[in-house]
């Protein structure tokens, strides 16, 4: 018998900001999406004063001021580092775990541990809070779906003290009755609506539907969810997801861009980032796709396009990738439009040391060694001295296309110049 | 195939680096260098200064309130959140919503955050203060000259 725990960080992005700025505690605070677009994380106090999820920042400016809501641009350097710390802390509790998202992990417990899950849950909460400053909630269940459902109670009901289990199948019904079907893990908005229209409003009602009906109306995924609610495991712990098959770097601009030069700079910069990711996971790319698009949400003339270029030999060499990207953007650029977004996609990734060799590269092995060396030095410098220490000239210097992040907190944990200053 | 992959058996660890000792003597037939027996691994400051990387944070001190404890403005402090603060520990604490570095002092049933500079007042932790230990300072990194 195995029991899974879902450990979920409470209001994760806001909690990260609070670790280094305690004046934010017990006060409303929100974090905005890229380009300071809309609210993607809220403290409990922000929820209480009535900030909805997804609220557009520009519309709520006055509201934020009136209610004293602190506003932050998303700081992924900080959130990523803190997430890693939470994961490392949790890893001391169970031999198998799956990092499900930046703020959620599944852990697997068996044997002796099953007799004192509740105390393990509280230990996990205390240790993560002490070591990292991040509050978490813990839900236990024999399946992922039940662990996730249990976590909902741990998070929302204060009597649970942040730890709750749905491990006793005979007693689960009275709790499943309280969960709206549309809040279940794996039930999307459309499916949820379909079920509610048929008066199947709670997790309990859904669980007890006939298998055949579920399979016919909601496909096999829906049936898996129902089986998991009954305690039959359908989703296993994925210990090590295989490396990504594609890498995408794309962002919306802070302001619309019309000149080719600015587009070229942005594409070169995205390609540089993507190539860094590529080398970090020890892969080579077989080709690239470049795309650009105007903003579909205005009445200006619209244009979007993309182009793909495949390489004769898979590569991770940034200069070659940038050259291809610049040729690509040139070929699809049209003057007279206000562009909102460009991006690069690395396609057909292969593992660097485990792939089909090619006659062309054998002839070229000396320059390959040099290229490898150069990329290593570049990545080392940028890791040590901060992102963008060594840049390609084609990335531009002023970078007017950069994301708007007017409210970003310091990179407290990843940059020497920005560590917290304490009196 | 998937099961084999999931089991993790055949996945090489590709992200870690291993430091290998660098042998100074040439490999040659004949007698080995007598120094070879004494080669140890490279010294890593992290190993010496950081016991628990997951719970360790760096902060920069500013101001003079701790100057008699050898903390000068601009010094980098290594802070370990995993440690429990004891009487006389130098701590980072949250005091009324602000982070501060002070020495923790217990006197009878009273608790104080003590500056190490007679020009600064001591802070008493009472029922009305919001107070919390943020972490324990384990090392002070001070640049020898500017």
């Amino acid at each position: 018998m195995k029991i899974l725990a879902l450990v979920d960080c409470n209001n994760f992005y806001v909690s990260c900001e609070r670790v280094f700025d305690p004046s934010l505690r017990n006060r409303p605070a929100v974090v905005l999406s890229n380009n300071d677009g809309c609210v993607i994380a809220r403290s409990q106090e922000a929820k209480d004063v009535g900030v909805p999820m997804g609220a557009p920042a520009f519309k709520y400016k006055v509201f934020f001021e009136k209610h004293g809501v602190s506003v932050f641009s998303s700081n992924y350097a900080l959130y990523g580092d803190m997430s890693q710390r939470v994961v490392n802390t949790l890893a001391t509790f169970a031999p198998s775990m799956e990092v499900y998202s930046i703020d959620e992990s599944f852990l697997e417990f068996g044997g002796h541990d099953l007799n004192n899950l509740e105390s393990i849950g509280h230990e996990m909460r205390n240790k993560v809070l002490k070591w990292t400053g991040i509050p978490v909630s813990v839900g236990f269940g024999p399946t992922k779906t039940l662990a996730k459902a249990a976590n909902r109670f741990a998070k929302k009901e204060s009597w649970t003290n942040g730890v709750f289990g749905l491990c006793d199948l005979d007693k689960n019904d009275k709790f499943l009755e309280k969960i709206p079907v549309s809040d279940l893990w794996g039930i999307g908005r459309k499916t949820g609506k379909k079920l509610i229209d048929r008066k199947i409003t709670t997790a309990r009602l859904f669980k007890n539907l006939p298998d055949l009906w579920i399979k016919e109306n909601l496909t096999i995924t829906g049936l898996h969810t129902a089986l998991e609610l009954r305690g039959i495991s359908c989703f296993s712990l994925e210990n090590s997801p295989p490396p990504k098959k594609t890498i995408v770097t794309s962002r919306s601009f802070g302001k619309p861009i019309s000149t080719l030069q600015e587009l070229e700079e942005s594409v070169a910069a995205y390609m540089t980032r993507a190539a860094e990711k590529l080398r970090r996971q020890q892969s080579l790319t077989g080709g690239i796709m470049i795309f650009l698009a105007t903003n579909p949400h205005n009445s200006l003339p619209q244009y979007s396009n993309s182009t793909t270029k495949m390489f004769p030999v898979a590569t991770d060499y940034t200069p070659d990738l940038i050259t291809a990207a610049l040729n690509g953007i040139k070929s699809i650029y049209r003057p007279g439009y206000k562009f909102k977004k460009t991006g690069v996609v690395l396609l057909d990734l292969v593992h660097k040391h485990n792939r089909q060799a090619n006659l062309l590269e054998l002839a070229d092995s000396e320059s390959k060694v040099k290229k490898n060396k150069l990329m290593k030095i570049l990545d080392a410098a940028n890791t040590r001295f901060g992102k963008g220490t060594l840049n390609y000239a084609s990335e531009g210097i002023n970078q007017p296309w950069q994301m708007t992040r007017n409210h970003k907190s310091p990179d407290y944990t990843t940059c020497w110049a920005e560590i917290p200053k304490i009196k | 195939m998937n099961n084999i992959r999931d089991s993790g058996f055949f996945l090489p660890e590709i992200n870690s680096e291993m430091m290998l000792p660098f042998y100074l003597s040439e490999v040659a037939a004949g007698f080995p260098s007598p120094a070879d027996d004494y080669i140890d691994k490279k010294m890593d400051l992290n190993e010496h200064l950081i016991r628990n990387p997951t719970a360790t944070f760096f902060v920069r001190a500013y101001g003079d309130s701790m100057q008699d404890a050898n903390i000068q403005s601009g010094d980098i402090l290594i802070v370990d959140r995993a440690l429990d603060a004891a009487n006389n520990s130098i701590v980072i604490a949250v005091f009324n919503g602000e982070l501060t570095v002070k020495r923790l002092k217990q006197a009878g049933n009273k608790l104080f955050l003590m500056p190490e500079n007679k020009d600064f007042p001591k802070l008493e932790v009472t029922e009305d203060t919001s107070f919390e230990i943020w972490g324990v300072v384990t090392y002070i990194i001070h640049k020898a000259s500017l």
Side-chain angles (χ1 to χ4, degrees), chain A residues 142-172:
Chain A
T143 65
K144 279 184 167 179
T145 307
L146 281 171
K148 185 106 182 169
N151 191 285
R152 184 192 149 91
F153 289 99
K155 183 159 292 171
K156 294 200 167 172
E157 306 287 343
S158 58
W159 53 265
T160 62
N161 285 319
V163 178
F164 187 68
L166 287 171
C167 302
D168 187 343
L169 295 177
D170 299 329
K171 292 179 185 160
N172 281 353

Short mmCIF file of all heavy atoms in Angstrom, two decimals, chain A residues 142-172:
data_model
loop_
_atom_site.label_atom_id
_atom_site.label_comp_id
_atom_site.label_asym_id
_atom_site.label_seq_id
_atom_site.Cartn_x
_atom_site.Cartn_y
_atom_site.Cartn_z
N PRO A 142 -4.68 7.92 -1.42
CA PRO A 142 -4.11 6.74 -2.09
C PRO A 142 -3.89 6.99 -3.59
O PRO A 142 -3.21 6.20 -4.24
CB PRO A 142 -5.14 5.65 -1.85
CG PRO A 142 -6.40 6.36 -1.49
CD PRO A 142 -6.02 7.69 -0.92
N THR A 143 -4.47 8.05 -4.15
CA THR A 143 -4.24 8.37 -5.56
C THR A 143 -3.92 9.86 -5.67
O THR A 143 -4.17 10.63 -4.74
CB THR A 143 -5.49 8.09 -6.42
OG1 THR A 143 -6.53 8.98 -6.00
CG2 THR A 143 -5.96 6.65 -6.29
N LYS A 144 -3.37 10.23 -6.82
CA LYS A 144 -3.03 11.64 -7.02
C LYS A 144 -4.27 12.54 -6.91
O LYS A 144 -4.22 13.61 -6.31
CB LYS A 144 -2.40 11.84 -8.40
CG LYS A 144 -0.93 11.50 -8.47
CD LYS A 144 -0.40 11.83 -9.87
CE LYS A 144 1.14 11.79 -9.87
NZ LYS A 144 1.67 12.09 -11.22
N THR A 145 -5.37 12.08 -7.50
CA THR A 145 -6.58 12.90 -7.50
C THR A 145 -7.12 13.10 -6.09
O THR A 145 -7.57 14.19 -5.74
CB THR A 145 -7.66 12.27 -8.41
OG1 THR A 145 -7.07 12.02 -9.69
CG2 THR A 145 -8.85 13.19 -8.58
N LEU A 146 -7.06 12.03 -5.26
CA LEU A 146 -7.52 12.16 -3.87
C LEU A 146 -6.57 13.03 -3.05
O LEU A 146 -7.00 13.82 -2.20
CB LEU A 146 -7.70 10.79 -3.23
CG LEU A 146 -9.00 10.06 -3.62
CD1 LEU A 146 -8.98 8.62 -3.12
CD2 LEU A 146 -10.24 10.80 -3.10
N ALA A 147 -5.26 12.90 -3.31
CA ALA A 147 -4.29 13.74 -2.59
C ALA A 147 -4.54 15.21 -2.92
O ALA A 147 -4.50 16.08 -2.06
CB ALA A 147 -2.86 13.34 -2.97
N LYS A 148 -4.83 15.45 -4.19
CA LYS A 148 -5.09 16.82 -4.63
C LYS A 148 -6.39 17.35 -3.98
O LYS A 148 -6.43 18.50 -3.53
CB LYS A 148 -5.21 16.82 -6.16
CG LYS A 148 -5.37 18.17 -6.77
CD LYS A 148 -4.11 18.65 -7.45
CE LYS A 148 -4.35 20.04 -8.00
NZ LYS A 148 -3.14 20.70 -8.45
N ALA A 149 -7.40 16.49 -3.93
CA ALA A 149 -8.67 16.89 -3.31
C ALA A 149 -8.48 17.15 -1.82
O ALA A 149 -9.03 18.11 -1.26
CB ALA A 149 -9.73 15.82 -3.55
N ALA A 150 -7.67 16.29 -1.17
CA ALA A 150 -7.41 16.47 0.27
C ALA A 150 -6.68 17.79 0.51
O ALA A 150 -6.95 18.50 1.48
CB ALA A 150 -6.58 15.29 0.79
N ASN A 151 -5.80 18.12 -0.41
CA ASN A 151 -5.04 19.36 -0.26
C ASN A 151 -5.95 20.58 -0.22
O ASN A 151 -5.68 21.56 0.48
CB ASN A 151 -4.03 19.49 -1.40
CG ASN A 151 -3.05 20.61 -1.15
OD1 ASN A 151 -3.38 21.78 -1.29
ND2 ASN A 151 -1.83 20.27 -0.76
N ARG A 152 -7.04 20.49 -0.97
CA ARG A 152 -8.01 21.59 -1.00
C ARG A 152 -8.55 21.88 0.41
O ARG A 152 -8.67 23.03 0.81
CB ARG A 152 -9.13 21.17 -1.94
CG ARG A 152 -10.18 22.18 -2.18
CD ARG A 152 -11.33 21.48 -2.89
NE ARG A 152 -12.57 22.13 -2.50
CZ ARG A 152 -13.09 23.14 -3.17
NH1 ARG A 152 -12.52 23.58 -4.24
NH2 ARG A 152 -14.20 23.71 -2.74
N PHE A 153 -8.83 20.81 1.17
CA PHE A 153 -9.30 21.02 2.55
C PHE A 153 -8.19 21.56 3.44
O PHE A 153 -8.41 22.41 4.28
CB PHE A 153 -9.85 19.70 3.13
CG PHE A 153 -11.14 19.28 2.50
CD1 PHE A 153 -11.18 18.33 1.50
CD2 PHE A 153 -12.34 19.86 2.91
CE1 PHE A 153 -12.37 17.95 0.91
CE2 PHE A 153 -13.55 19.48 2.33
CZ PHE A 153 -13.55 18.52 1.32
N ALA A 154 -6.99 21.01 3.24
CA ALA A 154 -5.85 21.46 4.04
C ALA A 154 -5.63 22.95 3.86
O ALA A 154 -5.27 23.67 4.78
CB ALA A 154 -4.59 20.68 3.64
N LYS A 155 -5.87 23.43 2.64
CA LYS A 155 -5.63 24.83 2.33
C LYS A 155 -6.77 25.73 2.79
O LYS A 155 -6.54 26.81 3.32
CB LYS A 155 -5.40 24.97 0.82
CG LYS A 155 -5.08 26.37 0.40
CD LYS A 155 -4.38 26.37 -0.93
CE LYS A 155 -3.01 25.76 -0.80
NZ LYS A 155 -2.34 25.53 -2.06
N LYS A 156 -8.01 25.25 2.63
CA LYS A 156 -9.14 26.15 2.84
C LYS A 156 -9.74 26.09 4.24
O LYS A 156 -10.37 27.03 4.68
CB LYS A 156 -10.24 25.84 1.81
CG LYS A 156 -9.81 26.16 0.40
CD LYS A 156 -10.97 26.34 -0.55
CE LYS A 156 -10.47 26.97 -1.84
NZ LYS A 156 -11.45 27.03 -2.89
N GLU A 157 -9.59 24.94 4.91
CA GLU A 157 -10.27 24.78 6.19
C GLU A 157 -9.26 24.94 7.32
O GLU A 157 -8.33 24.15 7.44
CB GLU A 157 -10.92 23.39 6.28
CG GLU A 157 -11.85 23.07 5.12
CD GLU A 157 -13.16 23.83 5.19
OE1 GLU A 157 -13.49 24.35 6.28
OE2 GLU A 157 -13.86 23.89 4.17
N SER A 158 -9.49 25.94 8.19
CA SER A 158 -8.48 26.21 9.22
C SER A 158 -8.41 25.08 10.24
O SER A 158 -7.35 24.86 10.84
CB SER A 158 -8.77 27.55 9.90
OG SER A 158 -10.06 27.51 10.46
N TRP A 159 -9.49 24.31 10.43
CA TRP A 159 -9.46 23.22 11.42
C TRP A 159 -8.46 22.12 11.04
O TRP A 159 -8.08 21.30 11.86
CB TRP A 159 -10.84 22.63 11.66
CG TRP A 159 -11.58 22.18 10.42
CD1 TRP A 159 -12.49 22.90 9.71
CD2 TRP A 159 -11.48 20.91 9.74
NE1 TRP A 159 -12.96 22.18 8.64
CE2 TRP A 159 -12.35 20.95 8.64
CE3 TRP A 159 -10.74 19.75 9.98
CZ2 TRP A 159 -12.49 19.88 7.74
CZ3 TRP A 159 -10.88 18.68 9.09
CH2 TRP A 159 -11.76 18.76 7.99
N THR A 160 -8.04 22.09 9.80
CA THR A 160 -7.08 21.05 9.40
C THR A 160 -5.65 21.40 9.79
O THR A 160 -4.77 20.54 9.76
CB THR A 160 -7.09 20.84 7.87
OG1 THR A 160 -6.67 22.08 7.26
CG2 THR A 160 -8.46 20.48 7.35
N ASN A 161 -5.40 22.65 10.15
CA ASN A 161 -4.04 23.11 10.40
C ASN A 161 -3.09 22.81 9.25
O ASN A 161 -1.91 22.53 9.44
CB ASN A 161 -3.49 22.52 11.69
CG ASN A 161 -4.10 23.19 12.91
OD1 ASN A 161 -4.28 24.40 12.93
ND2 ASN A 161 -4.44 22.39 13.90
N GLY A 162 -3.63 22.84 8.05
CA GLY A 162 -2.78 22.70 6.87
C GLY A 162 -2.43 21.28 6.47
O GLY A 162 -1.66 21.06 5.55
N VAL A 163 -3.00 20.28 7.17
CA VAL A 163 -2.73 18.88 6.81
C VAL A 163 -4.04 18.12 6.81
O VAL A 163 -4.80 18.19 7.77
CB VAL A 163 -1.76 18.22 7.82
CG1 VAL A 163 -1.54 16.76 7.45
CG2 VAL A 163 -0.44 18.96 7.86
N PHE A 164 -4.31 17.39 5.71
CA PHE A 164 -5.57 16.65 5.65
C PHE A 164 -5.39 15.43 4.76
O PHE A 164 -4.64 15.45 3.79
CB PHE A 164 -6.70 17.54 5.11
CG PHE A 164 -8.05 16.90 5.17
CD1 PHE A 164 -8.64 16.64 6.40
CD2 PHE A 164 -8.71 16.53 4.02
CE1 PHE A 164 -9.89 16.03 6.47
CE2 PHE A 164 -9.96 15.92 4.08
CZ PHE A 164 -10.54 15.67 5.31
N GLY A 165 -6.11 14.34 5.10
CA GLY A 165 -6.00 13.13 4.31
C GLY A 165 -7.36 12.60 3.88
O GLY A 165 -8.35 12.74 4.60
N LEU A 166 -7.42 12.02 2.68
CA LEU A 166 -8.61 11.30 2.22
C LEU A 166 -8.17 9.85 1.97
O LEU A 166 -8.25 9.33 0.86
CB LEU A 166 -9.17 11.93 0.95
CG LEU A 166 -9.88 13.28 1.11
CD1 LEU A 166 -10.18 13.89 -0.26
CD2 LEU A 166 -11.18 13.11 1.89
N CYS A 167 -7.65 9.23 3.01
CA CYS A 167 -7.04 7.92 2.86
C CYS A 167 -7.98 6.77 3.18
O CYS A 167 -7.76 5.64 2.78
CB CYS A 167 -5.80 7.81 3.75
SG CYS A 167 -4.58 9.07 3.38
N ASP A 168 -9.04 7.06 3.95
CA ASP A 168 -9.97 6.02 4.35
C ASP A 168 -11.17 6.03 3.40
O ASP A 168 -12.07 6.85 3.52
CB ASP A 168 -10.41 6.29 5.80
CG ASP A 168 -11.24 5.15 6.34
OD1 ASP A 168 -11.74 4.33 5.51
OD2 ASP A 168 -11.41 5.07 7.56
N LEU A 169 -11.17 5.11 2.44
CA LEU A 169 -12.14 5.17 1.35
C LEU A 169 -13.59 5.14 1.85
O LEU A 169 -14.48 5.71 1.23
CB LEU A 169 -11.92 4.01 0.38
CG LEU A 169 -10.57 4.07 -0.38
CD1 LEU A 169 -10.40 2.85 -1.26
CD2 LEU A 169 -10.46 5.34 -1.19
N ASP A 170 -13.82 4.48 3.00
CA ASP A 170 -15.18 4.40 3.51
C ASP A 170 -15.68 5.73 4.05
O ASP A 170 -16.88 5.95 4.17
CB ASP A 170 -15.27 3.36 4.65
CG ASP A 170 -14.87 1.98 4.13
OD1 ASP A 170 -15.12 1.73 2.93
OD2 ASP A 170 -14.31 1.20 4.90
N LYS A 171 -14.76 6.60 4.42
CA LYS A 171 -15.18 7.85 5.04
C LYS A 171 -15.04 9.06 4.13
O LYS A 171 -15.30 10.19 4.54
CB LYS A 171 -14.35 8.08 6.32
CG LYS A 171 -14.66 7.09 7.40
CD LYS A 171 -13.80 7.35 8.63
CE LYS A 171 -14.04 6.25 9.67
NZ LYS A 171 -12.94 6.20 10.63
N ASN A 172 -14.57 8.82 2.88
CA ASN A 172 -14.28 9.95 2.00
C ASN A 172 -15.52 10.68 1.49
O ASN A 172 -15.47 11.87 1.21
CB ASN A 172 -13.46 9.48 0.80
CG ASN A 172 -12.00 9.31 1.15
OD1 ASN A 172 -11.59 9.66 2.26
ND2 ASN A 172 -11.24 8.77 0.23
#
